[in-house]
Amino acid sequence: MNTKKKDIRALSKEQLRVFFEDNNDKAFRGNQVYEWLWNKGAHNFDDMTNISKTTREMLEKNFVINHIKVDQMQRSTDGTIKNAVRLHDGLIVESVLIPTATRTTACISSQVGCSLDCKFCATARLKRMRNLNPDEIYDQVMAIDKESRLYHNRPLSNIVFMGMGEPLMNYNNVLAAIDKITSEDGLAMSPKRITLSTSGVPKMIKKMADDEVRFKLAVSLHSAIDEVRTSIMPFNETFPLKELRESLEYWYQKTKSRITYEYVVWDGINDKTEDIDALIKFCSYVPCKVNLIEYNPIDDGVFQQASKTAIDDYIHALESRSIVVNVRRSRGKDIDAACGQLANKS
């Protein structure tokens, strides 16, 4: 990589227009280039066929396009696709296409590795090497949209930030990427089709509310008892449930957007009556729904999927309190593409 050249996608549309004016060209060239970069996903300046060869050579002289490359694509027997995505500096992240009968969902990564230390998650075993740039996040979506059209004959319908990394620890870049994804100059996807999943960083949840974001919020909860949650997710000691609850109340007050709690039930860890009661109480603070997620092993004997009886106990208790609950079955387990399994094994 030539470090003397700037990544052109770091420039705004207005900055591109100024660049062309400064180089004795028409400002609207900046609009054309911007469309090629974001709406059409050009990876090379030579792809920009409505721009003269001389202009493309000038762009090549001054800039690079640090696009991602799908290094390896794996297809599951259930139709799930996992991409090992190579970044411009050689680092790799993973993203997943999850198909159902009515939709295709992209599970997107926001960091190389992860800043947090959830004990049940394979990504947490990788040190956080760096945040992803907005274009690297955007490119994952573009790649999965192409695969959705190719293999499932329909465009990508939904995006979840549930891949590698904690998105709120890469706040500015994640929001910049979502802005591009929802922009008419980008993919023009409705923000209502995007869900950001966080392990729970209270001050950043409040910041999202203040910034009036329009996408949905999910929280990786797994226990509503501080001691239990800290044993599963040690950073809970820094961001305890009381602070998380207050930030979620603030979120709902500002956005009126219902929260989704993601919750895995493990044998002997959070499968008791007091665990269920604590979750029901936590659900009473703000309008919410609960997704009970099937656990996906990561070669660690400590965490084992709870019994069907324990899961049914959760379902019956939640439904008896009129709390919406869904059971999410794992997809792509045969290619280590399920929740909690992304760890660059490919």
Side-chain angles (χ1 to χ4, degrees), residues 17 26 31 43 62 65 93 98 146 161 167 170 182 214 288 303 311 316 318:
R17 289 172 60 87
K26 294 181 174 60
N31 297 10
H43 285 179
N62 288 278
I65 306 173
V93 295
I98 306 164
K146 289 179 182 177
F161 282 83
N170 186 18
T182 57
R214 294 179 295 143
C288 64
F303 292 93
I311 303 296
H316 294 149
L318 290 165

Side-chain angles (χ1 to χ4, degrees), residues 46-263:
D46 282 341
D47 294 338
M48 301 177 182
T49 51
N50 63 344
I51 295 172
S52 71
K53 188 172 187 295
T54 302
T55 301
R56 297 199 304 266
E57 287 173 350
M58 178 182 68
L59 291 171
E60 188 77 46
K61 181 180 178 181
N62 288 278
F63 300 106
V64 292
I65 306 173
N66 285 332
H67 61 84
I68 67 164
K69 177 187 176 186
V70 177
D71 216 35
Q72 183 180 11
M73 185 191 75
Q74 294 173 272
R75 295 181 68 189
S76 168
T77 54
D78 64 19
T80 299
I81 294 173
K82 182 173 76 170
N83 291 329
V85 174
R86 186 173 296 277
L87 309 175
H88 69 91
D89 55 4
L91 295 174
I92 291 179
V93 295
E94 294 179 341
S95 52
V96 181
L97 166 62
I98 306 164
T100 68
T102 57
R103 64 174 62 180
T104 52
T105 299
C107 180
I108 299 302
S109 293
S110 56
Q111 295 179 311
V112 185
C114 187
S115 308
L116 302 181
D117 50 10
C118 303
K119 292 185 177 180
F120 59 88
C121 180
T123 308
R125 298 181 176 184
L126 307 172
K127 67 176 183 178
R128 187 193 72 82
M129 286 169 266
R130 70 171 175 87
N131 290 331
L132 294 186
N133 297 326
D135 53 277
E136 294 169 327
I137 295 169
Y138 186 90
D139 281 356
Q140 292 175 72
V141 177
M142 288 286 285
I144 289 179
D145 180 55
K146 289 179 182 177
E147 291 167 347
S148 179
R149 294 170 189 270
L150 178 63
Y151 296 108
H152 298 283
N153 298 312
R154 58 180 184 265
L156 181 68
S157 61
N158 295 78
I159 299 170
V160 293
F161 282 83
M162 296 182 186
M164 300 172 71
E166 166 53 62
L168 293 189
M169 295 293 194
N170 186 18
Y171 185 84
N172 291 336
N173 288 349
V174 167
L175 260 63
I178 291 174
D179 184 58
K180 289 288 193 298
I181 291 164
T182 57
S183 167
E184 290 297 325
D185 292 325
L187 296 179
M189 180 174 283
S190 168
K192 294 179 181 178
R193 294 183 174 272
I194 299 173
T195 300
L196 184 147
S197 173
T198 175
S199 294
V201 187
K203 69 176 182 180
M204 302 311 295
I205 292 172
K206 289 180 177 179
K207 179 167 174 52
M208 278 198 299
D210 287 336
D211 287 343
E212 300 179 345
V213 302
R214 294 179 295 143
F215 50 79
K216 296 177 182 178
L217 174 64
V219 176
S220 185
L221 188 62
H222 310 305
S223 178
I225 300 172
D226 267 314
E227 295 77 12
V228 177
R229 193 169 193 257
T230 298
S231 73
I232 300 167
M233 309 162 81
F235 70 88
N236 183 72
E237 196 163 1
T238 305
F239 306 126
L241 286 165
K242 181 177 183 293
E243 291 183 21
L244 176 60
R245 185 194 82 206
E246 289 171 352
S247 71
L248 296 175
E249 289 173 330
Y250 186 82
W251 162 272
Y252 186 76
Q253 176 191 347
K254 296 277 285 191
T255 68
K256 301 297 184 245
S257 176
R258 183 174 66 167
I259 295 156
T260 298
Y261 294 126
E262 297 156 348
Y263 201 101

